[in-house]
Structures are given as C-alpha cells and as structure tokens.
Coordinates of all heavy atoms in Angstrom, one line a residue:
M27 N 9.9 -35.8 -45.8 CA 11.1 -35.8 -46.7 C 12.1 -36.8 -46.2 O 12.3 -37.0 -45.0 CB 11.7 -34.4 -46.6 CG 12.6 -34.0 -47.7 SD 13.5 -32.4 -47.5 CE 12.1 -31.3 -47.6
E28 N 12.7 -37.5 -47.2 CA 13.7 -38.5 -46.9 C 14.9 -37.8 -46.2 O 15.3 -36.7 -46.7 CB 14.2 -39.2 -48.2 CG 13.2 -40.2 -48.7 CD 13.2 -41.5 -47.8 OE1 14.2 -42.0 -47.5 OE2 12.0 -41.9 -47.5
I29 N 15.5 -38.5 -45.3 CA 16.6 -37.9 -44.6 C 17.8 -37.8 -45.5 O 18.6 -36.9 -45.4 CB 17.0 -38.8 -43.3 CG1 17.5 -37.9 -42.2 CG2 18.0 -39.9 -43.7 CD1 17.2 -38.4 -40.9
G30 N 17.9 -38.6 -46.6 CA 19.0 -38.6 -47.5 C 19.1 -37.3 -48.3 O 20.1 -36.9 -48.9
D31 N 17.9 -36.5 -48.4 CA 17.9 -35.3 -49.1 C 18.1 -34.1 -48.3 O 18.1 -33.0 -48.8 CB 16.6 -35.1 -49.8 CG 16.3 -36.3 -50.8 OD1 17.3 -36.8 -51.3 OD2 15.2 -36.7 -51.0
R32 N 18.3 -34.3 -47.0 CA 18.3 -33.1 -46.1 C 19.7 -32.8 -45.6 O 20.5 -33.7 -45.5 CB 17.3 -33.4 -44.9 CG 15.9 -33.6 -45.3 CD 15.1 -34.3 -44.3 NE 14.8 -33.4 -43.2 CZ 14.2 -33.8 -42.1 NH1 14.0 -35.1 -41.8 NH2 13.9 -33.0 -41.1
A33 N 19.9 -31.6 -45.2 CA 21.1 -31.2 -44.5 C 21.2 -31.8 -43.1 O 20.2 -31.7 -42.4 CB 21.2 -29.7 -44.5
I34 N 22.3 -32.4 -42.8 CA 22.4 -33.0 -41.5 C 23.0 -32.0 -40.5 O 24.1 -31.5 -40.7 CB 23.3 -34.3 -41.6 CG1 22.7 -35.3 -42.6 CG2 23.4 -34.9 -40.2 CD1 21.3 -35.7 -42.3
L35 N 22.4 -31.8 -39.4 CA 22.9 -31.0 -38.3 C 23.4 -32.0 -37.2 O 22.5 -32.5 -36.5 CB 21.9 -30.0 -37.7 CG 21.4 -29.0 -38.8 CD1 20.3 -28.2 -38.1 CD2 22.5 -28.1 -39.3
A36 N 24.6 -32.3 -37.2 CA 25.2 -33.4 -36.3 C 25.4 -32.7 -34.9 O 26.3 -31.8 -34.8 CB 26.5 -33.9 -36.9
C37 N 24.7 -33.2 -33.9 CA 24.8 -32.6 -32.6 C 25.4 -33.6 -31.6 O 25.1 -34.8 -31.7 CB 23.5 -32.2 -32.1 SG 22.6 -31.0 -33.2
P38 N 26.3 -33.1 -30.7 CA 26.8 -34.1 -29.7 C 25.7 -34.5 -28.7 O 24.9 -33.7 -28.3 CB 27.8 -33.2 -28.9 CG 27.5 -31.8 -29.2 CD 26.8 -31.8 -30.5
P39 N 25.6 -35.8 -28.4 CA 24.6 -36.2 -27.4 C 25.0 -35.7 -26.1 O 26.1 -35.2 -25.9 CB 24.8 -37.8 -27.5 CG 26.1 -38.0 -28.1 CD 26.4 -36.9 -28.9
T40 N 24.0 -35.7 -25.1 CA 24.3 -35.1 -23.8 C 25.2 -35.9 -23.0 O 25.6 -35.5 -21.9 CB 23.0 -34.8 -23.1 OG1 22.2 -36.0 -23.1 CG2 22.1 -33.7 -23.8
N41 N 25.5 -37.1 -23.5 CA 26.5 -38.0 -22.7 C 27.7 -38.3 -23.5 O 28.2 -39.4 -23.5 CB 25.8 -39.3 -22.3 CG 25.5 -40.1 -23.5 OD1 25.4 -39.6 -24.6 ND2 25.3 -41.4 -23.3
P42 N 28.3 -37.3 -24.2 CA 29.4 -37.6 -25.1 C 30.7 -38.1 -24.4 O 31.4 -38.9 -24.9 CB 29.7 -36.3 -25.8 CG 29.3 -35.3 -24.8 CD 28.1 -35.9 -24.1
N43 N 30.9 -37.6 -23.2 CA 32.1 -38.0 -22.5 C 32.1 -39.5 -22.1 O 33.1 -40.1 -22.1 CB 32.3 -37.1 -21.3 CG 32.5 -35.7 -21.7 OD1 33.0 -35.4 -22.8 ND2 31.9 -34.7 -20.9
A44 N 30.9 -40.1 -21.9 CA 30.8 -41.5 -21.7 C 31.2 -42.2 -23.0 O 31.9 -43.3 -22.9 CB 29.4 -41.9 -21.3
L45 N 30.7 -41.7 -24.1 CA 31.0 -42.4 -25.4 C 32.5 -42.2 -25.8 O 33.1 -43.1 -26.4 CB 30.2 -41.8 -26.6 CG 28.7 -41.9 -26.4 CD1 28.0 -41.2 -27.6 CD2 28.3 -43.4 -26.5
L46 N 33.1 -41.1 -25.4 CA 34.5 -40.8 -25.8 C 35.5 -41.3 -24.8 O 36.7 -41.3 -25.1 CB 34.7 -39.3 -25.9 CG 33.9 -38.6 -27.0 CD1 34.0 -37.0 -26.8 CD2 34.3 -39.0 -28.4
E47 N 35.1 -41.9 -23.7 CA 36.0 -42.3 -22.7 C 37.0 -43.3 -23.3 O 36.7 -44.3 -24.0 CB 35.2 -43.0 -21.6 CG 35.9 -43.0 -20.2 CD 35.1 -43.6 -19.1 OE1 34.0 -43.1 -18.9 OE2 35.6 -44.6 -18.5
G48 N 38.3 -43.0 -23.0 CA 39.3 -43.9 -23.4 C 39.8 -43.7 -24.8 O 40.7 -44.3 -25.3
T49 N 39.2 -42.7 -25.6 CA 39.6 -42.5 -27.0 C 40.7 -41.4 -27.0 O 41.2 -41.1 -28.1 CB 38.4 -42.0 -27.8 OG1 37.9 -40.8 -27.3 CG2 37.3 -43.0 -27.8
G50 N 40.9 -40.6 -25.9 CA 41.9 -39.6 -25.9 C 41.3 -38.3 -26.4 O 42.0 -37.3 -26.5
V51 N 40.0 -38.2 -26.9 CA 39.4 -37.0 -27.3 C 39.1 -36.1 -26.1 O 38.6 -36.7 -25.1 CB 38.1 -37.3 -28.1 CG1 37.4 -36.0 -28.5 CG2 38.5 -38.1 -29.3
P52 N 39.4 -34.8 -26.2 CA 39.1 -34.0 -25.0 C 37.6 -34.0 -24.6 O 36.8 -34.1 -25.5 CB 39.5 -32.6 -25.5 CG 40.2 -32.7 -26.8 CD 39.9 -34.1 -27.3
Q53 N 37.3 -33.8 -23.3 CA 36.0 -33.8 -22.9 C 35.2 -32.7 -23.6 O 35.7 -31.6 -23.9 CB 36.0 -33.5 -21.4 CG 36.5 -34.6 -20.5 CD 35.4 -35.0 -19.5 OE1 34.7 -34.2 -19.0 NE2 35.4 -36.3 -19.2
Y54 N 33.9 -33.0 -23.9 CA 33.1 -32.0 -24.6 C 32.3 -31.2 -23.6 O 31.7 -31.8 -22.7 CB 32.1 -32.7 -25.5 CG 31.1 -31.8 -26.1 CD1 31.5 -30.9 -27.1 CD2 29.8 -31.7 -25.6 CE1 30.6 -30.0 -27.7 CE2 28.9 -30.7 -26.1 CZ 29.3 -29.9 -27.1 OH 28.4 -29.0 -27.6
V55 N 32.3 -29.9 -23.7 CA 31.5 -29.0 -22.8 C 30.7 -28.1 -23.7 O 31.2 -27.3 -24.5 CB 32.5 -28.2 -21.9 CG1 31.6 -27.3 -21.0 CG2 33.4 -29.0 -21.1
P56 N 29.4 -28.2 -23.6 CA 28.5 -27.3 -24.4 C 28.7 -25.9 -23.9 O 29.1 -25.6 -22.7 CB 27.1 -27.8 -24.1 CG 27.2 -28.6 -22.8 CD 28.6 -29.1 -22.7
T57 N 28.3 -24.9 -24.7 CA 28.4 -23.5 -24.3 C 27.0 -23.0 -23.8 O 26.1 -23.8 -23.9 CB 28.8 -22.6 -25.4 OG1 27.7 -22.5 -26.3 CG2 30.1 -23.1 -26.1
V58 N 27.0 -21.8 -23.2 CA 25.7 -21.3 -22.7 C 24.7 -21.1 -23.8 O 23.5 -20.9 -23.6 CB 25.9 -20.0 -21.9 CG1 26.6 -20.2 -20.6 CG2 26.7 -19.0 -22.8
E59 N 25.2 -21.0 -25.1 CA 24.4 -20.8 -26.2 C 23.8 -22.1 -26.8 O 23.0 -22.1 -27.7 CB 25.1 -20.1 -27.3 CG 25.5 -18.7 -26.9 CD 26.3 -18.0 -28.0 OE1 27.5 -18.4 -28.2 OE2 25.8 -17.0 -28.6
H60 N 24.2 -23.2 -26.3 CA 23.7 -24.5 -26.8 C 22.3 -24.8 -26.1 O 22.1 -24.3 -25.0 CB 24.6 -25.7 -26.4 CG 25.8 -25.8 -27.4 ND1 26.9 -25.0 -27.3 CD2 26.0 -26.7 -28.4 CE1 27.7 -25.4 -28.3 NE2 27.2 -26.4 -29.0
A61 N 21.5 -25.4 -26.8 CA 20.1 -25.8 -26.3 C 19.9 -27.3 -26.4 O 20.6 -27.9 -27.2 CB 19.1 -25.0 -27.0
L62 N 19.0 -27.8 -25.7 CA 18.7 -29.2 -25.9 C 17.8 -29.5 -27.1 O 16.9 -28.7 -27.4 CB 17.9 -29.7 -24.6 CG 18.8 -30.1 -23.4 CD1 18.0 -30.4 -22.2 CD2 19.8 -31.2 -23.7
A63 N 18.0 -30.5 -27.8 CA 17.2 -31.0 -28.9 C 17.2 -32.5 -28.8 O 17.8 -33.1 -28.0 CB 17.8 -30.5 -30.2
T64 N 16.4 -33.1 -29.8 CA 16.3 -34.5 -29.8 C 16.7 -35.0 -31.2 O 16.3 -34.5 -32.2 CB 14.8 -34.9 -29.6 OG1 14.4 -34.3 -28.3 CG2 14.7 -36.4 -29.5
C65 N 17.5 -36.1 -31.2 CA 17.9 -36.8 -32.5 C 16.6 -37.3 -33.1 O 15.9 -38.0 -32.5 CB 18.9 -37.9 -32.2 SG 19.3 -38.8 -33.7
E66 N 16.4 -36.9 -34.4 CA 15.2 -37.3 -35.1 C 15.3 -38.8 -35.4 O 14.2 -39.4 -35.7 CB 15.1 -36.6 -36.5 CG 14.8 -35.1 -36.3 CD 14.6 -34.4 -37.6 OE1 14.3 -35.1 -38.6 OE2 14.9 -33.2 -37.6
Q67 N 16.4 -39.4 -35.4 CA 16.5 -40.8 -35.8 C 16.4 -41.8 -34.6 O 15.6 -42.7 -34.7 CB 17.9 -41.1 -36.5 CG 17.9 -42.3 -37.3 CD 18.2 -42.0 -38.8 OE1 17.4 -41.4 -39.5 NE2 19.4 -42.4 -39.2
C68 N 17.1 -41.5 -33.5 CA 17.1 -42.4 -32.4 C 16.5 -41.8 -31.1 O 16.3 -42.6 -30.1 CB 18.5 -43.0 -32.1 SG 19.6 -41.7 -31.4
G69 N 16.2 -40.5 -31.1 CA 15.5 -40.0 -29.9 C 16.5 -39.6 -28.8 O 16.0 -39.2 -27.7
T70 N 17.8 -39.7 -29.0 CA 18.7 -39.3 -28.0 C 18.7 -37.8 -27.7 O 18.5 -37.0 -28.7 CB 20.2 -39.7 -28.4 OG1 20.2 -41.1 -28.5 CG2 21.2 -39.2 -27.5
D71 N 18.9 -37.3 -26.5 CA 19.0 -35.9 -26.2 C 20.4 -35.4 -26.7 O 21.4 -36.1 -26.5 CB 18.9 -35.6 -24.7 CG 17.5 -35.7 -24.2 OD1 16.6 -35.5 -25.0 OD2 17.3 -35.9 -23.0
V72 N 20.4 -34.3 -27.4 CA 21.6 -33.7 -27.9 C 21.7 -32.2 -27.6 O 20.7 -31.6 -27.3 CB 21.7 -33.9 -29.5 CG1 21.7 -35.4 -29.9 CG2 20.5 -33.2 -30.2
W73 N 22.9 -31.7 -27.7 CA 23.1 -30.3 -27.6 C 23.2 -29.7 -29.0 O 24.0 -30.1 -29.8 CB 24.5 -30.0 -26.9 CG 24.5 -30.3 -25.4 CD1 25.3 -31.3 -24.8 CD2 23.8 -29.6 -24.4 NE1 25.0 -31.2 -23.5 CE2 24.2 -30.2 -23.2 CE3 22.9 -28.5 -24.4 CZ2 23.7 -29.8 -22.0 CZ3 22.5 -28.1 -23.1 CH2 22.8 -28.8 -22.0
I74 N 22.3 -28.7 -29.3 CA 22.3 -28.1 -30.6 C 22.9 -26.7 -30.4 O 22.5 -25.9 -29.5 CB 20.9 -28.0 -31.2 CG1 21.0 -27.4 -32.6 CG2 19.9 -27.3 -30.3 CD1 19.7 -27.7 -33.4
G75 N 23.9 -26.3 -31.2 CA 24.6 -25.1 -31.1 C 23.8 -23.9 -31.8 O 22.9 -24.2 -32.6
P76 N 24.3 -22.7 -31.5 CA 23.6 -21.5 -32.1 C 23.6 -21.5 -33.6 O 22.6 -21.1 -34.2 CB 24.3 -20.3 -31.5 CG 25.6 -20.9 -30.9 CD 25.3 -22.3 -30.6
R77 N 24.7 -21.9 -34.2 CA 24.7 -21.8 -35.7 C 23.8 -22.9 -36.3 O 23.3 -22.8 -37.4 CB 26.1 -22.0 -36.2 CG 27.0 -20.8 -35.8 CD 28.4 -20.9 -36.2 NE 29.2 -20.0 -35.4 CZ 30.3 -19.3 -35.8 NH1 30.7 -19.5 -37.0 NH2 30.9 -18.5 -35.0
Q78 N 23.8 -24.1 -35.6 CA 22.9 -25.2 -36.1 C 21.4 -24.8 -35.9 O 20.6 -25.1 -36.8 CB 23.2 -26.4 -35.2 CG 24.6 -27.0 -35.5 CD 24.9 -28.1 -34.6 OE1 24.7 -28.1 -33.4 NE2 25.5 -29.2 -35.1
R79 N 21.1 -24.0 -34.9 CA 19.7 -23.6 -34.7 C 19.4 -22.6 -35.8 O 18.3 -22.6 -36.4 CB 19.5 -22.9 -33.4 CG 19.4 -23.9 -32.2 CD 18.6 -23.5 -31.0 NE 19.0 -22.2 -30.6 CZ 20.1 -22.0 -29.7 NH1 20.7 -23.0 -29.2 NH2 20.4 -20.8 -29.3
Q80 N 20.3 -21.7 -36.1 CA 20.1 -20.8 -37.3 C 19.9 -21.5 -38.6 O 19.0 -21.2 -39.3 CB 21.4 -19.9 -37.4 CG 21.2 -18.5 -37.0 CD 22.6 -17.8 -37.0 OE1 23.5 -18.2 -37.7 NE2 22.7 -16.7 -36.3
A81 N 20.7 -22.5 -38.8 CA 20.6 -23.3 -40.0 C 19.2 -24.0 -40.1 O 18.6 -24.1 -41.1 CB 21.7 -24.4 -40.1
R82 N 18.7 -24.4 -38.9 CA 17.4 -25.1 -38.9 C 16.3 -24.1 -39.2 O 15.4 -24.5 -39.9 CB 17.2 -25.7 -37.5 CG 16.1 -26.7 -37.4 CD 16.1 -27.5 -36.2 NE 16.0 -26.7 -35.0 CZ 15.8 -27.1 -33.8 NH1 15.6 -28.4 -33.6 NH2 15.7 -26.3 -32.7
V83 N 16.5 -22.9 -38.7 CA 15.5 -21.9 -39.0 C 15.4 -21.6 -40.6 O 14.4 -21.5 -41.2 CB 15.7 -20.6 -38.2 CG1 14.9 -19.4 -38.8 CG2 15.5 -20.8 -36.8
V84 N 16.7 -21.4 -41.1 CA 16.8 -21.1 -42.6 C 16.3 -22.3 -43.4 O 15.5 -22.1 -44.4 CB 18.2 -20.8 -42.9 CG1 18.4 -20.6 -44.4 CG2 18.7 -19.5 -42.2
L85 N 16.7 -23.5 -43.1 CA 16.4 -24.7 -43.9 C 15.0 -25.3 -43.6 O 14.5 -26.0 -44.5 CB 17.5 -25.7 -43.8 CG 18.9 -25.3 -44.2 CD1 19.9 -26.3 -43.8 CD2 18.9 -25.0 -45.7
G86 N 14.5 -25.1 -42.4 CA 13.2 -25.7 -42.1 C 13.3 -27.2 -42.2 O 14.2 -27.8 -41.6
D87 N 12.4 -27.8 -42.9 CA 12.3 -29.2 -43.1 C 13.5 -29.8 -43.9 O 13.7 -31.0 -43.9 CB 11.0 -29.7 -43.8 CG 9.8 -29.6 -42.8 OD1 10.1 -29.6 -41.6 OD2 8.7 -29.7 -43.3
G88 N 14.3 -28.9 -44.5 CA 15.4 -29.3 -45.2 C 16.6 -29.6 -44.4 O 17.6 -30.1 -44.8
A89 N 16.5 -29.5 -43.0 CA 17.5 -29.8 -42.1 C 17.0 -30.9 -41.2 O 15.9 -30.9 -40.8 CB 18.0 -28.6 -41.3
A90 N 17.9 -31.8 -40.8 CA 17.6 -32.9 -39.9 C 18.6 -32.8 -38.7 O 19.8 -32.7 -38.9 CB 17.7 -34.2 -40.6
V91 N 18.0 -32.8 -37.5 CA 18.8 -32.8 -36.3 C 19.1 -34.2 -35.9 O 18.2 -35.0 -35.7 CB 18.1 -32.0 -35.1 CG1 18.9 -32.2 -33.8 CG2 17.9 -30.6 -35.5
L92 N 20.4 -34.6 -35.9 CA 20.8 -36.0 -35.6 C 21.9 -35.9 -34.6 O 22.7 -35.0 -34.5 CB 21.3 -36.7 -36.9 CG 20.4 -36.9 -38.0 CD1 21.1 -37.6 -39.1 CD2 19.1 -37.7 -37.6
C93 N 22.0 -37.0 -33.8 CA 23.1 -37.1 -32.9 C 24.3 -37.5 -33.7 O 24.2 -37.9 -34.8 CB 22.8 -38.2 -31.8 SG 22.8 -39.9 -32.4
M94 N 25.5 -37.4 -33.1 CA 26.8 -37.7 -33.9 C 26.8 -39.1 -34.4 O 27.2 -39.4 -35.5 CB 28.0 -37.5 -32.9 CG 28.3 -36.1 -32.5 SD 28.8 -35.1 -33.9 CE 29.4 -33.6 -33.0
V95 N 26.3 -40.0 -33.6 CA 26.3 -41.5 -34.0 C 25.4 -41.7 -35.3 O 25.9 -42.3 -36.2 CB 25.8 -42.3 -32.8 CG1 25.7 -43.8 -33.3 CG2 26.7 -42.2 -31.6
C96 N 24.2 -41.2 -35.3 CA 23.3 -41.3 -36.4 C 23.8 -40.5 -37.6 O 23.7 -41.0 -38.8 CB 21.9 -40.8 -36.1 SG 21.1 -41.9 -34.9
A97 N 24.4 -39.3 -37.3 CA 24.9 -38.5 -38.4 C 26.1 -39.2 -39.2 O 26.1 -39.2 -40.4 CB 25.5 -37.2 -37.8
I98 N 26.9 -39.9 -38.4 CA 28.0 -40.7 -39.0 C 27.5 -41.8 -39.9 O 27.9 -42.0 -41.0 CB 29.0 -41.2 -37.9 CG1 29.8 -40.0 -37.3 CG2 29.9 -42.3 -38.5 CD1 30.5 -40.4 -36.1
Q99 N 26.4 -42.5 -39.4 CA 25.8 -43.5 -40.2 C 25.2 -43.0 -41.5 O 25.4 -43.6 -42.6 CB 24.7 -44.2 -39.4 CG 25.2 -45.1 -38.3 CD 24.1 -45.6 -37.4 OE1 23.0 -45.2 -37.5 NE2 24.5 -46.3 -36.3
V100 N 24.5 -41.9 -41.5 CA 23.9 -41.3 -42.7 C 25.0 -40.8 -43.6 O 25.0 -41.0 -44.8 CB 23.0 -40.1 -42.3 CG1 22.6 -39.3 -43.6 CG2 21.8 -40.5 -41.6
Q101 N 26.1 -40.2 -43.0 CA 27.2 -39.8 -43.8 C 27.9 -40.9 -44.5 O 28.2 -40.8 -45.7 CB 28.2 -39.2 -42.8 CG 29.4 -38.4 -43.5 CD 30.3 -37.8 -42.4 OE1 29.8 -37.3 -41.4 NE2 31.6 -37.7 -42.7
R102 N 28.0 -42.1 -43.9 CA 28.5 -43.3 -44.5 C 27.7 -43.7 -45.7 O 28.2 -44.0 -46.8 CB 28.6 -44.4 -43.5 CG 29.9 -44.4 -42.7 CD 30.3 -45.7 -42.3 NE 31.3 -45.6 -41.2 CZ 31.1 -46.0 -40.0 NH1 30.0 -46.6 -39.6 NH2 32.1 -45.8 -39.1
Q103 N 26.4 -43.7 -45.5 CA 25.4 -44.1 -46.6 C 25.6 -43.2 -47.8 O 25.5 -43.6 -48.9 CB 24.0 -44.1 -46.1 CG 23.7 -45.3 -45.2 CD 22.4 -45.0 -44.4 OE1 21.6 -44.1 -44.6 NE2 22.2 -45.8 -43.3
R104 N 25.7 -41.9 -47.5 CA 25.8 -40.9 -48.6 C 27.2 -40.9 -49.2 O 27.4 -40.5 -50.4 CB 25.6 -39.5 -48.1 CG 24.2 -39.2 -47.7 CD 24.1 -37.8 -47.3 NE 22.8 -37.4 -46.8 CZ 22.5 -36.2 -46.4 NH1 23.4 -35.2 -46.4 NH2 21.3 -35.9 -45.9
G105 N 28.2 -41.3 -48.4 CA 29.6 -41.3 -48.9 C 30.2 -39.9 -49.1 O 31.0 -39.6 -49.9
C106 N 29.7 -39.0 -48.3 CA 30.2 -37.6 -48.4 C 30.5 -37.1 -47.0 O 30.1 -37.7 -46.0 CB 29.2 -36.7 -49.1 SG 27.7 -36.4 -48.2
V107 N 31.2 -36.0 -46.9 CA 31.6 -35.4 -45.6 C 30.6 -34.3 -45.2 O 30.1 -33.5 -46.0 CB 33.0 -34.8 -45.8 CG1 33.4 -34.0 -44.5 CG2 34.0 -35.9 -46.1
V108 N 30.3 -34.3 -43.9 CA 29.4 -33.3 -43.4 C 30.2 -32.1 -43.0 O 31.3 -32.2 -42.4 CB 28.7 -33.8 -42.1 CG1 27.9 -32.7 -41.4 CG2 27.8 -35.0 -42.4
G109 N 29.8 -30.9 -43.5 CA 30.6 -29.7 -43.3 C 30.4 -29.2 -41.8 O 29.5 -29.6 -41.1
H110 N 31.4 -28.4 -41.4 CA 31.3 -27.8 -40.0 C 30.9 -26.4 -40.1 O 31.4 -25.6 -41.0 CB 32.7 -27.9 -39.4 CG 32.7 -27.7 -37.9 ND1 32.8 -26.5 -37.4 CD2 32.6 -28.6 -36.9 CE1 32.8 -26.6 -36.0 NE2 32.6 -27.9 -35.7
L111 N 30.0 -25.9 -39.2 CA 29.5 -24.6 -39.3 C 30.4 -23.6 -38.6 O 30.1 -22.4 -38.5 CB 28.1 -24.5 -38.7 CG 27.0 -25.4 -39.4 CD1 25.7 -25.3 -38.7 CD2 26.9 -24.9 -40.8
G112 N 31.5 -24.1 -38.0 CA 32.4 -23.2 -37.2 C 31.9 -23.1 -35.8 O 31.1 -23.9 -35.4
G113 N 32.2 -22.0 -35.1 CA 31.8 -21.8 -33.8 C 32.7 -22.6 -32.8 O 33.8 -22.8 -33.1
G114 N 32.1 -23.0 -31.7 CA 32.9 -23.7 -30.7 C 33.7 -22.8 -29.8 O 34.6 -23.2 -29.1
D115 N 33.4 -21.5 -29.9 CA 34.2 -20.5 -29.2 C 33.3 -19.8 -28.1 O 33.7 -18.8 -27.6 CB 34.7 -19.4 -30.2 CG 33.7 -18.9 -31.1 OD1 32.5 -19.3 -31.0 OD2 34.0 -18.0 -32.0
G116 N 32.2 -20.3 -27.8 CA 31.3 -19.7 -26.9 C 31.7 -19.9 -25.4 O 32.7 -20.7 -25.2
R117 N 31.1 -19.3 -24.5 CA 31.4 -19.4 -23.1 C 30.9 -20.8 -22.6 O 29.8 -21.2 -22.9 CB 30.7 -18.3 -22.3 CG 31.1 -18.3 -20.8 CD 30.9 -16.9 -20.3 NE 29.5 -16.4 -20.4 CZ 28.6 -16.5 -19.4 NH1 28.9 -17.1 -18.3 NH2 27.4 -16.1 -19.6
P118 N 31.8 -21.6 -22.0 CA 31.4 -22.9 -21.6 C 30.3 -22.9 -20.5 O 30.2 -22.0 -19.7 CB 32.7 -23.5 -20.9 CG 33.8 -22.6 -21.3 CD 33.2 -21.3 -21.7
R119 N 29.3 -23.8 -20.7 CA 28.2 -24.0 -19.7 C 28.8 -24.7 -18.5 O 29.4 -25.8 -18.7 CB 27.1 -24.8 -20.4 CG 25.9 -25.1 -19.5 CD 25.0 -26.0 -20.3 NE 24.4 -25.4 -21.5 CZ 23.3 -24.8 -21.5 NH1 22.5 -24.7 -20.4 NH2 22.8 -24.3 -22.6
L120 N 28.6 -24.2 -17.4 CA 29.1 -24.8 -16.2 C 28.1 -25.9 -15.7 O 26.9 -25.6 -15.7 CB 29.4 -23.8 -15.1 CG 30.5 -22.8 -15.5 CD1 30.6 -21.7 -14.4 CD2 31.8 -23.4 -15.7
S121 N 28.6 -27.0 -15.2 CA 27.6 -28.0 -14.8 C 27.3 -27.8 -13.3 O 28.0 -27.1 -12.6 CB 28.2 -29.4 -15.0 OG 29.5 -29.5 -14.4
Ligands
ZN203 ZN1 20.7 -40.5 -33.1

C-alpha cells in the first residue's frame, strides 16, 4: 500500500533530545507504556506510544509507523496536518 494512503503514526526517535538540542523544546521522556518500533521509511528506532499501538492494531496495514522526521516530510507532501491521539500523561520511563 502506498504510504500516501495510510494513517501516519508519527513516533519520536530514540534520540530526540540530540535533534532538539538548542531549539528550546523540553526534553522528551518516553513513558513505561512506550515500546520500541522501527520507522518504515528510514529504519530509525522510535518510541511508539500505547494509543499509537492501538491504532496500529485497529488499522493494520492502513497505518504506517514513521519517525517524526519522515512523518513531517509525508505531511508536507500531503499538505495536511497529522492529528494527535492524546496521551502523554503516562509514568515517565527512567533511564
Ligand atoms: Zn524515519
């Protein structure tokens, strides 16, 4: 299935703080409910959240797991905004 027809699950890469350094964006900390996944486009390791995993189960091949960087590129090509599934209130995963 073409990526253009699929729901994009945009996941933070496992090194987001390196990418965000100097931008003033707060450090990203995954929760204990996040799991590791792989960006389908570039192969980067990403954190996938519980709601994104649920969406993937429901949508099956209709969903694409992408890192934030690839998700933004696809979003630009489509010219539309990617919705947010909410969440972000889980217990932080301690490193
Ligand atoms: Zn990617």
